[in-house]
Amino acid sequence: MGYLRSFIPWLVFAGVATLGWQWGALAALVISAVLLFADRAAGLSLESRLLEYGTIVFFAALAILAFAQPHSGLRFYGGTLSMGWLALIAWLSIAVRRPFTMAIARRVAPPEVWRTPLFRRINVVLTAAWALSFTVGAAAQAVVTHYDLSLLVSIPIQIAGFVLPARFTAWYPERARARFLRDQAGAQPGLQEA
């Protein structure tokens, strides 16, 4: 559920943009700011929140553009732009050694594991999965828009761009922890009996 919360602004944009892309961008911007403010009010650290800050920057810029040029040809590329921006955020968060999934994982993981190499490694892999999915989704959306394919093609691409990495996120951490414990037990035979 923590991952879904982080993507609420993007879902709001997709839904409200059917009324006009400028309204979708504005609604997503407001939701983004409210969620970040709620995190701060709840005492959550706002450092390492590249996804949240990147979301606000994207929707602020998009809202300005959409209200200034409501008939711009870019309005047809909302899905492409969204997925491309999310891919950029994800890859950038890995590059600066602050995978965006870490901020989300800290909502559920106990503080004593936050600085462990395993926690970091799991989050690098998870963020890379999201980044790859967003990258492929952006490219696919660009093709869909360029060739003016129907929403029946576009919507499954958008859904897959979120569902596939979400399923991987649900599956991978426990598998990585189990492999880590198995490797530790193999390296130290006394741990096998413990």
Side-chain angles (χ1 to χ4, degrees):
M1 188 62 184
Y3 285 92
L4 178 60
R5 184 183 186 283
S6 297
F7 294 113
I8 288 173
W10 301 92
L11 299 171
V12 166
F13 172 67
V16 177
T18 59
L19 304 174
W21 69 313
Q22 64 272 43
W23 301 112
L26 183 61
L29 176 60
V30 169
I31 294 294
S32 301
V34 166
L35 290 173
L36 192 63
F37 180 76
D39 283 351
R40 183 67 179 143
L44 296 174
S45 170
L46 297 183
E47 75 173 59
S48 301
R49 301 249 178 217
L50 290 173
L51 177 60
E52 289 81 354
Y53 292 127
T55 298
I56 288 172
V57 167
F58 177 81
F59 286 119
L62 190 63
I64 291 167
L65 172 67
F67 277 103
Q69 298 288 325
H71 301 294
S72 168
L74 285 177
R75 72 184 186 277
F76 300 115
Y77 287 88
T80 303
L81 293 171
S82 296
M83 294 292 252
W85 187 259
L86 284 168
L88 179 65
I89 291 170
W91 291 120
L92 181 63
S93 75
I94 292 170
V96 300
R97 302 178 51 86
R98 293 180 186 268
F100 83 83
T101 58
M102 285 180 71
I104 299 166
R106 285 180 175 162
R107 292 179 181 274
V108 295
E112 58 269 12
V113 303
W114 293 356
R115 298 200 189 286
T116 65
L118 178 62
F119 185 75
R120 176 166 289 286
R121 178 69 185 141
I122 287 171
N123 281 284
V124 167
V125 170
L126 293 178
T127 300
W130 284 93
L132 180 61
S133 181
F134 293 146
T135 302
V136 171
Q141 287 291 13
V143 169
V144 166
T145 303
H146 179 75
Y147 290 105
D148 199 22
L149 302 176
S150 78
L151 282 177
L152 295 176
V153 177
S154 178
I155 291 172
I157 291 170
Q158 290 179 10
I159 292 170
F162 287 94
V163 169
L164 294 176
R167 291 185 58 88
F168 181 73
T169 298
W171 168 82
Y172 178 75
E174 194 53 47
R175 180 173 170 89
R177 279 189 289 275
R179 185 176 344 128
F180 175 79
L181 291 173
R182 190 173 53 249
D183 290 349
Q184 290 295 327
Q188 299 174 353
L191 288 178
Q192 290 177 342
E193 289 108 32

